[in-house]
Amino acid sequence: MASALRVRFAPSPTGYLHIGGARTALFNYLYARRFGGTFILRIEDTDLERSTPESLKAILDGLKWLDIGWDEGPEKEGPHAPYFQTQRLDTYRDHCDQLIAAGKAYRCYCTQEEIRERRAQAEKEGRAYKYEGTCRERKDVPEGRPSVVRFKMPSVEGSVSFDDLVLGKITKEYSDLDDWVMLRGDGIPLYNYGCVIDDHLMDITVVSRGQEHVNSTFPQLMLYQALGWEPPRFAHLPLILGPDREKLSKRKHKEADVMLHKANGILPEALLNFVIRLGWSHGNEEVISREQMIEWFDFKDVGSTSGVWNPDKLLWLNQHYLKTLPPSDVAGRLAPFLAQQGQTLAPDDVRLERFVLAFRERAKTLVEMATMALPYLKQGVTLDEKAAAKHLTADSLALLRQVREEIAALPDWSVAALDAVIKTVSERAGVGMGKVAQPVRVAVTGNTTSPGIGETLQLLGKEEALRRLDAALARS
Ligand code: GLU
């Protein structure tokens, strides 16, 4: 019987969740969801200097914001707990002991200083450094000297290969591999070692990660062989390039930070949709719902060419979701952006949804939407002098006064009733509606563009609209 599908995302908590990590997490998550598998989150926190609780929180927050839920891992636990590598040191030590006893690994007493010197020498001679096996057969155990544990590469000819689900067959000669370090003197595993032990013990069947790990796969496969374990399948994901076509990196590209997009008013739906298209496609589909992602995702549709960051596409997708998600839903997400700009509205304030409806055709982000809404929430308005000179003439002020009187008397402040007043006033004066609406617009918004005039007045509310009309009338 084929074993149940189990995939994992194994971030190191040494910084925020970056786009590459989010994509790896997403692809693994979707693969598990599509094929009824289990998605595991494992924290590779063995870099003690660089791993921090803040980074861990940032990664979990990022995954939660994107709604990439894991089945086993931190905050969830599961049958293979603990899911933090620093809590699994006994396991790594035990397996090391077994490998040493079986002659497949050995203690190495070469100091870092010695290795550094030999590496420098190799570089000087223009050859790639490989550990020369100094301690392989060492019988004299130097007293009190710290040791690491090294993998013992079999001394045979041949090659190791695997059939990558994305890249196809990849092969490496044994002679290109060396006796790599598995465990440090303090019992902390190195990446290749901890990764294999955990992937096996956590019953992982498919390992998907970034292409930068292709070369690590070979020493990992050697370890599977040495332990007599069946390796998982592998799916290495293509690079992601920044807008400048350089490899997307935290150092060079601010857009690599998932949470920056949240702060910029991007919706998680849009970012997820954007991220899935970095290296994966389904025909020419651009707008892809979560249901479709789960229905369609497969590693066989991941390409080997790099995904390129296209900022316009992200904004386009974001506006698509701003326009198509239920306005009440978007309203809830707009509120914090208004609060950030000093306007805290109650969650059930009807104006929030009105702002969404009024601005979603023009705003590409929640930040832009909040910026557009802000003038409607403040007291008073600064008139654009050019617009005022053109539209607030003596003639138009007379019309403005009529509008002011009639709307002040309206029993309900609805868009239809407000529009009807503009219509009546313009008909009575025998002018087009624009001749009335535009002075009103300039008077209440300060300039010549805004949503429909009834909508604009409604957004302002009666009190503020009248106040602004009065201020404009007082100019004459
Ligand atoms: N901790 C490794 C990383 O963050 C995991 C690589 C893997 O998935 O094997 O790059």
Side-chain angles (χ1 to χ4, degrees), residues 8-12 18 24 42-44 85 191 195 199 207-210 212-213 220:
R8 86 316 190 258
F9 173 49
S12 302
H18 60 92
T24 301
R42 180 174 75 229
I43 306 300
E44 302 204 332
Q85 288 195 319
Y191 160 64
C195 176
D199 282 340
V207 165
S208 178
R209 56 192 173 198
E212 66 274 19
H213 292 295
Q220 293 183 12

Side-chain angles (χ1 to χ4, degrees), residues 60-111:
L60 301 187
D61 285 351
L63 293 173
K64 287 177 198 170
W65 179 64
L66 289 169
D67 197 12
I68 301 176
W70 55 98
D71 304 307
E72 292 174 26
E75 299 178 0
K76 275 268 160 84
E77 297 314 314
H80 299 280
Y83 293 91
F84 289 81
Q85 288 195 319
T86 47
Q87 295 171 23
R88 303 173 61 81
L89 300 185
D90 290 350
T91 309
Y92 307 129
R93 193 168 303 121
D94 289 351
H95 284 89
C96 249
D97 290 347
Q98 285 169 30
L99 283 162
I100 293 172
K104 292 178 173 170
Y106 61 92
R107 290 199 182 281
C108 167
Y109 298 88
C110 298
T111 62

Side-chain angles (χ1 to χ4, degrees), residues 205-220:
T205 55
V206 177
V207 165
S208 178
R209 56 192 173 198
Q211 236 175 60
E212 66 274 19
H213 292 295
V214 166
N215 270 325
S216 302
T217 309
F218 299 108
Q220 293 183 12

